[in-house]
Amino acid sequence: MRDAYHEELDSLSDKLVEMTRLVRSAMARAVTALLDADLRLSEEVISSDEHVNKIDTEIEETVFDLMARQQPVAGDLRTLITALRMSGDLERMGDLAVHIAKTARRRHPESAVPPELQATVLEMGQIAERMIAKTGSVIASQNVEMGLELDADDDQMDRLHRRLFDVLLSPQWKHGVEPAVDITLAGRYFERFADHAVHVAEDVVYLVTGQRPEEINDLP
């Protein structure tokens, strides 16, 4: 019985890693759809989110079932609670990729991103992909040092987010209100995506060490 129990615990990590793979794919396709006004990719991202939601539901059901049957304590309880939190963050990351894809679909056949912002949005997408890939590695390896690196990646995303607003607020902006709204929302989706990646990494750090990153960073 205990072996089966620990196999179920291990399966939670596998499912979380699978969620990161699906979310990474969704974000990569959503960014391409946004920049290239690719309607087919937009629809693929939107429809494939159902798979992410399905795994999120499976994780939730497994966690509640194990808590009811096994009454876990200490480290096992921490594993279940953090799995539930991470699954929620990853599910929301999938939703954010969908929001980006819907922005691309809404503006089709035009690109939602003006030429002068294409490079910035592309870089934001690349950082988002890098962060979710690193998040998957952190979950699989429980590597605390790698988990702590996500904060620096998030700083890069915040810097690019500010750059978007610099362009939008510039007197040289000539594309009107609707494109400005699209870019504002897309920038927010990228920024929130990065925040959720950081949250997942922080939960892994807590799972392994019993401490939050800020507590570790404050150590002499």
Side-chain angles (χ1 to χ4, degrees):
M1 288 292 291
R2 297 302 294 179
D3 286 345
Y5 166 54
H6 285 288
E7 284 178 8
E8 288 183 276
L9 283 177
D10 291 341
S11 76
L12 291 174
S13 178
D14 294 339
K15 287 181 178 180
L16 289 167
V17 171
E18 177 62 16
M19 287 182 80
T20 68
R21 294 192 185 110
L22 293 170
V23 169
R24 182 183 182 184
S25 174
M27 176 54 78
R29 288 178 292 163
V31 172
T32 299
L34 186 68
L35 294 173
D36 297 347
D38 190 320
L39 185 60
R40 179 185 60 82
L41 279 181
S42 297
E43 297 293 355
E44 283 183 9
V45 173
I46 294 164
S47 62
S48 65
D49 189 53
E50 183 178 338
H51 194 180
V52 176
N53 295 339
K54 180 175 179 291
I55 298 176
D56 178 49
T57 300
E58 290 173 357
I59 289 173
E60 183 177 297
E61 290 173 349
T62 298
V63 168
F64 290 152
D65 178 63
L66 289 175
M67 290 179 73
R69 286 192 293 108
Q70 302 292 340
Q71 298 182 336
V73 296
D76 288 349
L77 180 59
R78 194 158 71 203
T79 295
L80 293 175
I81 296 301
T82 54
L84 203 57
R85 288 167 53 94
M86 287 188 282
S87 179
D89 276 310
L90 291 168
E91 189 274 333
R92 285 187 285 275
M93 292 170 82
D95 289 344
L96 290 164
V98 168
H99 292 331
I100 292 171
K102 286 182 176 179
T103 300
R105 184 177 67 176
R106 187 168 59 249
R107 292 299 165 213
H108 184 269
E110 303 297 324
S111 172
V113 184
E116 62 266 41
L117 284 174
Q118 291 251 335
T120 300
V121 170
L122 176 61
E123 189 175 354
M124 293 178 86
Q126 290 169 340
I127 291 173
E129 281 190 66
R130 185 165 71 241
M131 290 184 75
I132 188 60
K134 190 177 290 186
T135 299
S137 296
V138 169
I139 294 170
S141 65
Q142 296 194 346
N143 186 317
V144 170
E145 289 186 6
M146 188 185 297
L148 295 173
E149 291 173 7
L150 268 291
D151 256 341
D153 295 324
D154 187 42
D155 289 342
Q156 293 183 52
M157 185 70 86
D158 290 341
R159 174 179 55 80
L160 292 171
H161 192 209
R162 289 191 295 271
R163 185 189 297 174
L164 287 183
F165 279 98
D166 288 343
V167 175
L168 291 174
L169 297 174
S170 167
Q172 282 74 43
W173 179 258
K174 59 184 180 181
H175 303 285
V177 174
E178 286 190 357
V181 171
D182 287 338
I183 294 298
T184 299
L185 290 174
R188 179 60 174 162
Y189 300 148
F190 283 119
E191 191 262 342
R192 288 301 299 152
F193 187 95
D195 286 345
H196 284 300
V198 172
H199 293 164
V200 174
E202 288 177 343
D203 280 334
V204 175
V205 171
Y206 175 69
L207 175 63
V208 175
T209 68
Q211 295 178 299
R212 290 294 173 186
E214 59 269 21
E215 296 172 323
I216 295 172
N217 292 332
D218 287 342
L219 292 175

